[in-house]
Amino acid sequence: MRKSLLFLLLAFLAIHLNAQKVKDTEIPPFGTVDKSDLELTQCYFDPDAEAMILLEDGELAYIDGIGIVLEKRIRIKILKKEGLDRADIHLRYNNSDKDQSIRDIAAQTYNLDPSGKVVIAKVDKKQIFDKNINKRVAEKVFTFPEVKVGSIIEYKYKHNGIGLINWYFQHSIPVKVSRYVLDFPDYIQMRNTPFCSRKYEHKEESKGARVAQSYLMKEIPGFRNESNVINEEAYMDRLETTVSAYKEASGLWKNRNVNWIQVIRFLMEDEDFGIQLKRDIPRTSDLDLELAQVKDDYNRMKTIHAYVRKNMTWNEYYGIWALDGVKAAWKDKKGTAGEINLILVNLLRNAGLDAKPVLVSTHDNGLVNATDAGTYDYPGFNQFNKVLAHVTIGGKVYVLDGSEKETPTHLIPREVLMTEGLVIEKIDTGEWGWVNLWDPAETYKEVFVLSGHVEADGKVRVKEDITSIDYSRLRKIGLVRKGEKEFRDRFLHGDDPNIQIDSLTFENKESDSLPLVQHIQFTESLNGTGDYLFLSVNKFTGLEKNPFIADTRQADVFFGANQSYLITGNVFLPEGYEWDALPKNLRMIMPDTSISITRISQVSNDRLSMRITIDFKKPFFSVQEYGAFHEFYKQLFDILNEQYVIKKKARP
């Protein structure tokens, strides 16, 4: 069943007019480049960029007999070797119903020869390949020839059947000129909403029975790669488009705004969603045997969740739909995320649990655009890319994903933390509605216990036990299973020549309900000068380097969960050495009390005992809060990395 209701609407409203192009003298024709652009060595409004988009031009129009077509052209200047990968092009499209295609691709590279003449190298059409991502998604793939630092690459294409799209003026690299034109018949009323922090030009032109609207933005700096961003696209300058109304054959306008009750009613009656919740999924004898051994609801839920994760294989296709049906997927033991999780909901309900499907949008997919009034621009369900199981036991909510192998039953999947989900249930029960996918009790917690002995040769030999709980365990367990080398390189300073890992063992690798414990023994050569050695106890915490050194920030800071760190232990000195003046004991708290750090150190003879605690009481800091957050984080890392000084005793 085709899910794009907008496409169906426009296909039904047959028209007999062709798109009229909006011309702009600032848009150079394809194939014509200025020599000055080829001589560019730096983007003048974003000097550190490895590449820049000289032009991104798109026109979205409805054309009789074809449907919605996007004509797009991109021209890119390569400024540094890091920008060379821009010459590898992947144009993705939906191939499930053969209703989309990418055609009329033209691409070429521009260079200057030694005499200063522009040389063009075209992409051979035989070198443009079709690649199937899965049975529903494909892409056109090609690579530009003769690309080097200084080159300009340019390509254009037509994307048929694409439907409405959002236009991004901003990208990870700077854009000199970006223009987007929407050309539709006048009986389809468009609502275009700019989410822009920069100025843009807007023109509207009526010609015959069509209306063309163009949006132009210039000199847009690249969106820098900032750490801890929930979704970069949510902060980029963009234009969101939708159909707000259309004129019927009677001449009356029909409003396209739909409330969520209508959307839910549609979903509950849909063959590929709501009807699948009524299918009888036959329980297997081994699942029945496992369930017979548990009596409480929590362990019944956990058993079913574990069984689905173990026995079903995700085919790596997202979506909320069970396109082949839950019974077929259950029989094949393989399916989409939608099929697997609708199977999970069915089995949980069959076991007498209060389970409902909840529509979610993962961080990579983008934030759901909710309004206070509870209405969206139709079709609202297209904002979601996954369905999960929402289970309530004893007043506590659990969110389960049967297509993902590592997240334990008691944790909300990390990829949807701090997002809104839509619980789908019968309208008359009042149980449907929005839920916040976050639980303050589910934390990122790590405990570091050290026991170290400084040797006379200036080395310290340390036994460190790291206990990783909840989301910190989840962050590490994938690399633990992948291999010790990968884990060392990622988490144990694999590139530090002063540290030698002598042994590494793990506890609770196979138990997702217990913390992951890492037992590490390592030797470190201490830095020193003269009679002094310097010791840091901030080892393998992930807090060695401050990721928030920039004075300004474009996106909010997103951690996802509250955090807690404890670093504690003892370090002993050899004969002939003593502890010099210790870092001060202190407690520092953010003005809003959201972050705190406490440090306590004391010396008894040759033993240093220390304890550092860091607590984050909220998982999210807005751009408006970044100034205070940035200053506090700087001080926090100064404290964490302040070293303990060891002094050689003077000879008597």
Side-chain angles (χ1 to χ4, degrees):
M1 178 180 290
R2 194 175 288 171
K3 300 302 170 192
S4 177
L5 298 187
L6 177 59
F7 181 90
L8 290 176
L9 167 70
L10 294 177
F12 176 76
L13 299 173
I15 63 174
H16 302 281
L17 295 166
N18 290 322
Q20 301 292 324
K21 292 185 179 295
V22 174
K23 296 182 180 180
D24 193 310
T25 56
E26 295 190 57
I27 307 300
F30 182 85
T32 301
V33 297
D34 289 336
K35 184 178 177 181
S36 60
D37 285 339
L38 281 164
E39 293 172 337
L40 276 177
T41 59
Q42 187 181 64
C43 176
Y44 62 92
F45 58 91
D46 195 345
D48 295 328
E50 71 273 14
M52 67 181 293
I53 298 174
L54 296 171
L55 170 67
E56 185 169 28
D57 188 32
E59 181 176 285
L60 193 75
Y62 186 84
I63 300 177
D64 184 28
I66 298 177
I68 298 180
V69 176
L70 172 68
E71 291 191 45
K72 189 170 183 179
R73 179 158 67 98
I74 300 177
R75 180 179 290 184
I76 300 174
K77 170 71 177 184
I78 309 299
L79 296 167
K80 300 178 182 178
K81 63 179 182 179
E82 292 81 4
L84 292 173
D85 60 357
R86 300 281 170 176
D88 297 325
I89 307 300
H90 298 258
L91 303 176
R92 187 163 291 196
Y93 61 98
N94 187 340
N95 195 36
S96 57
D97 294 326
K98 306 298 181 183
D99 57 353
Q100 287 192 26
S101 64
I102 291 181
R103 303 174 52 194
D104 301 338
I105 297 173
Q108 50 198 34
T109 306
Y110 308 92
N111 286 304
L112 288 176
D113 69 10
S115 67
K117 180 183 177 182
V118 177
V119 179
I120 299 176
K122 295 185 178 182
V123 174
D124 187 340
K125 293 187 181 298
K126 294 179 181 179
Q127 298 302 311
I128 300 174
F129 302 101
D130 287 290
K131 178 181 178 182
N132 290 324
I133 304 302
N134 53 50
K135 66 180 182 180
R136 293 177 175 84
V137 179
E139 62 184 13
K140 296 283 188 179
V141 180
F142 60 92
T143 299
F144 284 87
E146 306 297 330
V147 177
K148 57 187 176 181
V149 174
S151 298
I152 291 175
I153 58 176
E154 182 175 35
Y155 61 100
K156 64 179 181 177
Y157 61 92
K158 291 181 181 179
H159 190 154
N160 294 346
I162 188 173
L164 288 181
I165 62 169
N166 296 329
W167 182 264
Y168 285 84
F169 299 103
Q170 190 173 29
H171 297 281
S172 60
I173 58 175
V175 181
K176 185 177 179 181
V177 178
S178 177
R179 185 185 68 164
Y180 188 46
V181 179
L182 294 116
D183 188 345
F184 279 77
D186 59 6
Y187 57 81
I188 297 177
Q189 188 176 87
M190 304 296 295
R191 180 160 67 239
N192 306 321
T193 307
F195 290 87
C196 300
S197 60
R198 296 169 181 83
K199 291 182 180 180
Y200 60 89
E201 299 174 22
H202 175 219
K203 297 179 183 178
E204 185 171 315
E205 179 182 349
S206 296
K207 195 166 185 177
R210 300 186 71 85
V211 177
Q213 297 189 64
S214 68
Y215 294 82
L216 182 74
M217 187 180 287
K218 305 175 186 177
E219 299 180 0
I220 312 131
F223 189 94
R224 289 290 169 255
N225 183 20
E226 298 179 331
S227 63
N228 299 85
V229 180
I230 188 170
N231 182 277
E232 290 185 351
E233 290 185 352
Y235 300 95
M236 292 181 179
D237 286 347
R238 66 193 185 278
L239 181 75
E240 295 190 357
T241 63
T242 187
V243 172
S244 58
Y246 65 92
K247 187 182 291 186
E248 297 180 311
S250 64
L252 297 176
W253 284 94
K254 185 174 181 62
N255 196 308
R256 289 274 297 163
N257 289 337
V258 179
N259 62 44
W260 278 111
I261 290 179
Q262 292 169 284
V263 173
I264 292 171
R265 183 174 288 117
F266 171 86
L267 289 171
M268 293 302 293
E269 295 171 357
D270 190 273
E271 175 65 29
D272 297 334
F273 190 87
I275 302 302
Q276 297 299 315
L277 292 169
K278 302 175 184 178
R279 301 293 190 222
D280 183 21
I281 303 296
R283 285 214 307 256
T284 59
S285 57
D286 51 342
L287 177 57
D288 280 338
L289 182 62
E290 290 184 44
L291 289 173
Q293 299 177 46
V294 296
K295 303 300 180 183
D296 62 288
D297 286 348
Y298 177 81
N299 281 301
R300 189 176 292 112
M301 171 185 67
K302 187 176 179 181
T303 298
I304 294 171
H305 185 213
Y307 187 88
V308 170
R309 291 196 298 171
K310 179 181 178 181
N311 289 277
M312 293 295 297
T313 300
W314 179 41
N315 62 11
E316 299 188 1
Y317 180 72
Y318 280 93
I320 66 174
W321 312 106
L323 296 173
D324 293 330
V326 292
K327 282 193 171 183
W330 183 243
K331 180 181 178 182
D332 296 340
K333 303 304 178 188
K334 185 175 184 178
T336 67
E339 287 159 350
I340 291 172
N341 283 316
L342 291 177
I343 287 170
L344 178 59
V345 172
N346 279 1
L347 291 173
L348 291 165
R349 285 180 168 181
N350 188 256
L353 297 172
D354 180 8
K356 308 177 185 70
V358 55
L359 301 185
V360 299
S361 176
T362 61
H363 297 159
D364 288 342
N365 189 59
L367 301 179
V368 174
N369 182 20
T371 66
D372 294 336
T375 59
Y376 284 69
D377 296 322
Y378 206 14
F381 52 73
N382 282 348
Q383 298 182 80
F384 304 101
N385 69 327
K386 211 168 187 181
V387 58
L388 305 178
H390 180 280
V391 188
T392 305
I393 297 176
K396 179 172 172 54
V397 170
Y398 301 89
V399 180
L400 314 181
D401 185 354
S403 66
E404 193 268 330
K405 303 296 185 183
E406 298 294 356
T407 304
T409 301
H410 69 279
L411 287 184
I412 296 171
R414 187 171 53 184
E415 66 178 359
V416 298
L417 274 178
M418 288 198 71
T419 67
E420 287 187 290
L422 180 63
V423 173
I424 304 296
E425 190 52 275
K426 295 178 181 178
I427 301 301
D428 53 6
T429 66
E431 297 175 70
W432 69 275
W434 294 98
V435 291
N436 186 16
L437 302 178
W438 185 69
D439 184 344
E442 298 173 3
T443 63
Y444 183 105
K445 184 174 183 179
E446 296 218 277
V447 178
F448 306 86
V449 180
L450 300 89
S451 178
H453 294 265
V454 177
E455 306 291 347
D457 60 2
K459 294 182 179 180
V460 59
R461 306 184 193 282
V462 182
K463 179 180 181 296
E464 182 171 3
D465 297 326
I466 304 175
T467 302
S468 302
I469 303 167
D470 285 351
Y471 289 109
S472 62
R473 178 194 183 279
L474 189 57
R475 175 171 171 258
K476 292 180 176 181
I477 191 62
L479 279 183
V480 171
R481 299 194 199 285
K482 192 171 183 180
E484 184 176 310
K485 182 183 184 305
E486 287 81 359
F487 184 88
R488 288 191 183 201
D489 290 344
R490 174 66 179 84
F491 294 110
L492 302 183
H493 304 306
D495 58 349
D496 189 338
N498 291 325
I499 294 179
Q500 176 184 318
I501 305 298
D502 302 311
S503 69
L504 170 64
T505 58
F506 300 97
E507 282 186 39
N508 306 327
K509 284 198 300 185
E510 305 305 325
S511 176
D512 61 10
S513 60
L514 295 175
L516 174 69
V517 182
Q518 305 120 76
H519 301 293
I520 306 166
Q521 293 188 30
F522 68 93
T523 302
E524 180 183 12
S525 299
L526 298 178
N527 293 321
T529 177
D531 292 336
Y532 294 90
L533 297 171
F534 305 102
L535 172 74
S536 171
V537 297
N538 185 18
K539 288 288 182 286
F540 314 138
T541 62
L543 298 173
E544 292 84 4
K545 293 182 180 179
N546 182 1
F548 304 108
I549 59 175
D551 293 331
T552 60
R553 188 174 167 93
Q554 300 177 75
D556 304 315
V557 176
F558 174 78
F559 293 115
N562 290 340
Q563 302 170 79
S564 174
Y565 299 86
L566 169 62
I567 306 170
T568 187
N570 300 288
V571 182
F572 298 86
L573 295 181
E575 186 176 348
Y577 287 83
E578 61 184 350
W579 295 101
D580 204 22
L582 300 180
K584 293 189 299 183
N585 293 340
L586 55 81
R587 177 171 172 77
M588 187 175 71
I589 307 175
M590 275 271 285
D592 65 355
T593 73
S594 58
I595 310 176
S596 66
I597 179 171
T598 302
R599 180 178 64 196
I600 300 174
S601 306
Q602 64 180 20
V603 167
S604 175
N605 297 321
D606 64 345
R607 183 183 69 182
L608 166 70
S609 298
M610 57 79 201
R611 181 183 179 91
I612 301 172
T613 60
I614 308 171
D615 290 301
F616 291 71
K617 294 182 179 179
K618 71 178 190 179
F620 181 90
F621 295 85
S622 69
V623 169
Q624 291 73 25
E625 298 173 294
Y626 183 70
F629 173 87
H630 169 258
E631 182 57 32
F632 186 89
Y633 234 72
K634 180 179 182 301
Q635 296 178 56
L636 184 150
F637 274 79
D638 287 344
I639 293 168
L640 278 172
N641 292 318
E642 191 171 357
Q643 296 181 321
Y644 292 85
V645 181
I646 302 165
K647 181 181 179 181
K648 185 179 289 187
K649 291 180 180 178
R651 293 183 179 180

